[in-house]
Amino acid sequence: VQLQASGGGSVQAGGSLRLSCAASGFTLDYYTIGWFRQAPGKEREGVSSITSSGSNTYYADSVKGRFTISRDNAKKTVYLQMNSLKPEDTAVYYCAARRGTVGSKWHHSYVMDYWGKGTQVTVSS
């Protein structure tokens, strides 16, 4: 099982980025995918999650209305569209997978089974 996050970079406040999480070695269709982030000196936090079918999505309050998660199971890729970026969005972003559902615990990193290497997002004011 491998997950590869990409798409990070440096942008000014108000800008946009689209992160991608490419899956390999397993059937993405059966997995919930979550995006998490970790800023320097802070704990890892859940940003967004999407169920295996894509029918349910979840967002942290801090990103609601600005970030959109989506998935293309045929391409084995999950996306995180990030708009209206703020300096406080600066962090390393990780994607993670868990077979089945995670429900209300989606924002807890301990429920996820597989993790990819992160991609750095830096937002300047």
Side-chain angles (χ1 to χ4, degrees):
V1 173
Q2 285 193 332
L3 296 168
Q4 180 64 55
S6 63
S10 296
V11 297
Q12 290 191 328
S16 298
L17 286 172
R18 187 175 82 157
L19 304 184
S20 297
C21 176
S24 61
F26 65 103
T27 303
L28 185 66
D29 307 45
Y30 304 135
Y31 286 76
T32 289
I33 302 296
W35 283 99
F36 294 78
R37 67 186 181 186
Q38 188 165 19
K42 294 188 177 181
E43 293 186 355
R44 190 170 297 189
E45 63 173 349
V47 175
S48 184
S49 180
I50 187 167
T51 54
S52 56
S53 66
S55 58
N56 292 302
T57 58
Y58 305 91
Y59 298 93
D61 287 344
S62 59
V63 306
K64 276 182 183 175
R66 300 188 297 122
F67 291 11
T68 303
I69 192 170
S70 61
R71 64 191 296 156
D72 185 335
N73 286 345
K75 294 183 177 179
K76 303 186 77 171
T77 304
V78 175
Y79 305 97
L80 185 68
Q81 178 67 44
M82 306 187 297
N83 298 328
S84 301
L85 283 162
K86 303 176 180 181
E88 50 262 44
D89 294 318
T90 295
V92 177
Y93 284 70
Y94 302 87
C95 59
R98 175 179 170 123
R99 187 180 177 99
T101 62
V102 297
S104 61
K105 295 182 180 179
W106 70 268
H107 56 292
H108 291 294
S109 58
Y110 67 80
V111 304
M112 308 306 283
D113 295 325
Y114 305 106
W115 291 83
K117 293 183 180 180
T119 184
Q120 176 71 46
V121 172
T122 302
V123 185
S124 58
S125 57

